[in-house]
Amino acid sequence: MTNADNTNEPRLIVETGLDQRVAAIIEPVIVGMGFRLVRVRLMNQNGSTLQVMAERNDGTMTVQDCEALSQAISPVLDVDDPIDKAYHLEVSSPGIDRPMVRKSDFSRWQGNLVKCETSILVDNRKRFRGKIVDVDTDGFTIERDQVAYGEEPRVVIPFSTLAEAKLILTDDLIRDALRADKLAKAEAANQNEEDNDTPIN
């Protein structure tokens, strides 16, 4: 379920323009603190808001994690100063209906509904919605929940064609997300106990 063994897994979907410059500046800081960057987006919201989504390798992200990252990122951005106007920095978790940016996201959330867009035509269209039923190294298979006449219910989407992907909020997804969060917290607690039980020579 988790991806703790591969901290440097590249993102399939990355930023462009100014967002890309910001990502290049802050990603080494985020990775150095044991997190993974999910997405950077500068939005015209409350003036300007720089939204940074990040998470731990096991998919968790606490309020304290967000605060720690925010305090680490802010001075780095002040030095490089890539944004030429006042903005508000917002560090958050990807949320339950999260953007899917790495191959492991698709493995992790297999069985859930996803909405995605491709950069080129796949099976004569660019927009898809359906349940992730299979994932391999080259792409993922979805079972469409709205099949048009003459279309195959299943379609394989190569990772190389992906432009955007996001989980769709459902009761099943909420249940799976809560279960994954509970497991990750239990694992972290066990790890802390093991660390505390280690005798000091």
Side-chain angles (χ1 to χ4, degrees), residues 132-144:
I132 305 166
V133 290
D134 192 34
V135 183
D136 62 29
T137 52
D138 299 320
F140 59 100
T141 305
I142 62 166
E143 198 164 81
R144 303 182 212 207

Side-chain angles (χ1 to χ4, degrees), residues 6-197:
N6 190 355
T7 54
N8 299 320
E9 183 191 356
R11 291 182 296 153
L12 301 163
I13 299 166
V14 293
E15 298 75 15
T16 56
L18 181 57
D19 292 346
Q20 188 178 32
R21 277 182 54 206
V22 172
I25 293 164
I26 65 173
E27 191 160 19
V29 177
I30 291 171
V31 171
M33 291 176 69
F35 297 90
R36 299 197 308 171
L37 180 62
V38 175
R39 187 177 76 192
V40 170
R41 189 171 281 177
L42 186 62
M43 303 178 294
N44 294 325
Q45 190 179 312
N46 306 333
S48 271
T49 299
L50 178 64
Q51 184 194 59
V52 176
M53 282 186 187
E55 64 187 348
R56 291 193 176 277
N57 294 327
D58 63 8
T60 60
M61 189 75 172
T62 65
V63 173
Q64 291 81 3
D65 291 338
C66 292
E67 286 170 3
L69 272 186
S70 184
Q71 287 167 1
I73 291 167
S74 211
V76 178
L77 286 173
D78 288 346
V79 171
D80 275 287
D81 205 18
I83 303 165
D84 60 1
K85 56 185 173 184
Y87 64 91
H88 166 71
L89 175 63
E90 179 189 281
V91 178
S92 69
S93 79
I96 293 179
D97 53 345
R98 55 171 299 139
M100 308 279 273
V101 297
R102 290 179 170 89
K103 290 180 181 181
S104 59
D105 292 340
F106 292 87
S107 305
R108 182 171 189 198
W109 298 105
Q110 190 169 328
N112 286 288
L113 274 179
V114 69
K115 184 166 65 173
C116 60
E117 206 168 309
T118 55
S119 54
I120 58 170
L121 288 175
V122 174
D123 211 22
N124 293 319
R125 53 193 303 181
K126 284 187 170 184
R127 290 192 173 155
F128 300 90
R129 180 191 148 113
K131 185 188 280 193
I132 305 166
V133 290
D134 192 34
V135 183
D136 62 29
T137 52
D138 299 320
F140 59 100
T141 305
I142 62 166
E143 198 164 81
R144 303 182 212 207
D145 60 350
Q146 300 152 340
V147 185
Y149 180 76
E151 284 186 331
E152 289 295 320
R154 288 189 173 205
V155 62
V156 177
I157 300 170
F159 285 128
S160 59
T161 65
L162 208 55
E164 203 168 331
K166 186 181 177 178
L167 283 177
I168 296 171
L169 200 58
T170 61
D171 290 344
D172 287 347
L173 176 59
I174 293 168
R175 189 191 62 236
D176 289 354
L178 290 172
R179 189 184 299 137
D181 195 45
K182 199 172 175 180
L183 277 171
K185 283 181 177 152
E187 277 178 31
N190 289 342
Q191 188 61 48
N192 286 343
E193 278 175 28
E194 283 172 24
D195 292 347
N196 293 338
D197 290 345

